[in-house]
Amino acid sequence: MADLARRMWVAEGKGERAPVPRRTVPCMQTAWPHMLVPRPAAASKLVFPFDQMGVRYRYFARNAVWDAVHLLDLVGKTVLMPAYHHGVELETLLAAGVKPLFYRVDAQMRCDFADAKKRAAGASVSALYVIHYAGFPQDMAEARKLADGMGVPLIEDCALALLSRDGRDPLGATGDVSVFCLYKTLPVPNGGLLLVRGQLRSQLDSLPPVRSPKLSSTAIHLGSSLLSNLELRAGPAGRRAREMLRSAGRFAIRKASVEFVSTGTQHFDLADVDLGISSLSHLVLRNQQWPEIVERRRRNYFLLYAMLRDVAPPVTGELRPGVCPLFYPMPIANKASAMARLLARGVETVDFWRIRHPAVREGEFPEVDRLRETVLELPVHQDLTPADAEHVATCVRELCT
Ligand SMILES: Cc1ncc(COP(=O)(O)O)c(C=O)c1O
């Protein structure tokens, strides 16, 4: 089966040293044309967190973090923050005037709440910030206990954990305030979400109004995702069409000096903090098959796990019921070389969180340093077929054995 998958994916070598991949497995899910079919909001079934009261849509998750700081009145105050973080959520907190107090995250990406408690002793802490990495749940009962014990609000960062559950409990349902990134899990051109629970909900209206993003910027993101989809479905012909359209698009952007707000960047920009979600993102959201997304991500993860657990077990361990994995977090010694070799075989990967924000000193949290050095994202998203997942696993096995 693995060989079959490989043959389907990779052009015959025909004597060449490095076979040219017939198509590339993209590291992100792509937008399909049918997702742009107009559909009344009432016709689509909503799932958590979209079906909740107290929701505010934003362009990015970082804007929702900014909202959380202001809603919880954290400016100038100390927040317990995991030492393992992307960097942009930390930049947002710092830009808002928050003082982070870092706590340990272990080698399996688990927040160490006992360490957080120790570090908080003697400090005047005003909130507890928790991150679910790659869709894998933190121990939210412990987080809640710690936050309640200190009498402070809990901020649950689900930027990497949309649609994920711990058993039956959706991630994001425990925090007083939760933030989500939509475009990491779904093929929307932009989107973040703030979810506010309890009495805080009544204060949502006190936040400043949001501004709609420019249609041109949204259209570029969406166009790029549709072109990736074309490449995914049409192989080399799709790739050529994508390259041609991309160059034409870049030329047009330069000539018309179109405003473009990148997503997925490392840095917080105050100029974009008032941006809301686009209406095109809402349209794509209305055309999602929610259960299928979770099922496919879990299936692809299990396929990778079955083929890789002996050579490259994921740092997060087993996939418990309900978890919607964002990716397969594979530990590997030389990330750059592994990425290049996998790309040559048609597998896109992501160097997960290699860059440490200077607010955390090197060596202060050795397990986090090690995670930054070694974790590589392997794709498991909803666009991958079982043959695609097998191809990814086969290429990784070849790399590791
Ligand atoms: C844990 C975490 N929180 C927040 C963010 C911010 O997400 P966005 O890019 O939507 O602002 C990120 C981005 O990667 C993240 O990883």
Side-chain angles (χ1 to χ4, degrees):
M1 184 68 171
D3 262 336
L4 174 69
R6 191 172 148 196
R7 262 182 280 127
M8 286 164 62
W9 270 94
V10 181
E12 292 298 329
K14 298 202 180 86
E16 298 147 357
R17 276 253 183 95
V20 179
R22 266 192 37 215
R23 64 171 188 163
T24 301
V25 180
C27 58
M28 295 283 283
Q29 61 287 341
T30 64
W32 294 69
H34 72 261
M35 293 177 183
L36 301 179
V37 173
R39 188 186 289 268
S44 56
K45 189 174 169 353
L46 291 179
V47 294
F48 185 91
F50 307 104
D51 61 353
Q52 297 293 294
M53 309 254 281
V55 160
R56 174 164 144 114
Y57 285 93
R58 302 294 258 121
Y59 191 86
F60 308 107
R62 66 197 76 174
N63 290 358
V65 173
W66 178 268
D67 287 343
V69 169
H70 291 93
L71 208 57
L72 297 171
D73 194 18
L74 296 173
V75 176
K77 304 202 177 137
T78 301
V79 171
L80 270 171
M81 177 78 188
Y84 194 39
H85 43 257
H86 174 271
V88 76
E89 72 291 60
L90 176 60
E91 269 199 11
T92 307
L93 293 175
L94 292 170
V98 166
K99 294 180 218 147
L101 177 59
F102 298 108
Y103 64 88
R104 177 177 170 256
V105 176
D106 76 10
Q108 280 82 49
M109 297 187 177
R110 289 176 304 207
C111 288
D112 182 344
F113 296 117
D115 182 68
K117 188 174 177 182
K118 257 190 253 153
R119 289 174 192 264
S124 172
V125 166
S126 297
L128 171 63
Y129 197 107
V130 175
I131 300 176
H132 301 290
Y133 306 102
F136 288 81
Q138 297 296 346
D139 185 341
M140 291 314 288
E142 275 302 305
R144 186 81 258 175
K145 205 163 97 190
L146 176 58
D148 289 352
M150 295 187 296
V152 301
L154 176 60
I155 304 173
E156 195 173 351
D157 186 329
C158 306
L160 312 180
L162 182 70
L163 307 181
S164 198
R165 293 171 177 264
D166 189 352
R168 299 181 67 81
D169 303 331
L171 302 191
T174 311
D176 297 287
V177 169
S178 304
V179 301
F180 299 82
C181 175
L182 311 187
Y183 62 80
K184 290 197 201 312
T185 303
L186 307 172
V188 286
N190 47 58
L193 189 146
L194 175 77
L195 173 64
V196 179
R197 297 189 336 132
Q199 290 179 345
L200 272 174
R201 273 213 306 263
S202 61
Q203 291 173 42
L204 260 184
D205 290 344
S206 68
L207 291 170
V210 299
R211 171 169 64 94
S212 293
K214 288 260 174 6
L215 178 62
S216 50
S217 181
T218 300
I220 293 165
H221 281 294
L222 191 57
S224 167
S225 186
L226 286 163
L227 289 175
S228 295
N229 181 266
L230 184 68
E231 178 175 349
L232 184 76
R233 288 180 298 134
R239 185 185 316 166
R240 280 193 297 278
R242 179 188 175 198
E243 276 158 13
M244 267 168 46
L245 288 165
R246 276 223 164 134
S247 321
R250 271 197 288 269
F251 179 75
I253 291 168
R254 269 200 313 275
K255 285 280 162 205
S257 53
V258 171
E259 185 193 274
F260 179 67
V261 181
S262 296
T263 51
T265 59
Q266 192 82 21
H267 299 293
F268 172 77
D269 188 345
L270 194 58
D272 298 326
V273 84
D274 59 346
L275 277 180
I277 193 173
S278 64
S279 42
L280 274 172
S281 290
H282 276 300
L283 178 59
V284 175
L285 284 177
R286 278 182 224 132
N287 281 292
Q288 295 305 302
Q289 303 296 325
W290 305 109
E292 214 171 79
I293 295 170
V294 180
E295 274 162 32
R296 287 187 177 186
R297 283 179 171 270
R298 286 180 63 83
R299 176 201 66 199
N300 292 336
Y301 187 97
F302 276 128
L303 281 168
L304 290 195
Y305 185 71
M307 285 179 70
L308 295 178
R309 70 184 148 200
D310 56 336
V311 290
V315 295
T316 38
E318 67 174 304
L319 192 67
R320 294 212 306 266
V323 173
C324 177
L326 191 65
F327 55 83
Y328 182 101
M330 174 179 94
I332 189 143
N334 187 342
K335 283 207 256 188
S337 147
M339 288 177 78
R341 287 173 64 190
L342 289 171
L343 190 60
R345 296 290 312 276
V347 177
E348 273 185 16
T349 55
V350 176
D351 184 348
F352 186 66
W353 291 5
R354 186 174 48 80
I355 298 169
R356 176 181 45 81
H357 191 282
V360 182
R361 279 197 322 275
E362 191 178 357
E364 204 178 344
F365 296 95
E367 292 130 312
V368 169
D369 291 345
R370 184 98 192 107
L371 286 170
R372 291 196 187 282
E373 275 160 32
T374 57
V375 174
L376 190 65
E377 266 188 60
L378 299 181
V380 298
H381 58 76
Q382 56 269 35
D383 285 348
L384 303 193
T385 62
D388 299 337
E390 275 193 45
H391 173 67
V392 173
T394 304
C395 293
V396 173
R397 273 201 85 81
E398 283 172 9
L399 194 75
C400 297
T401 50

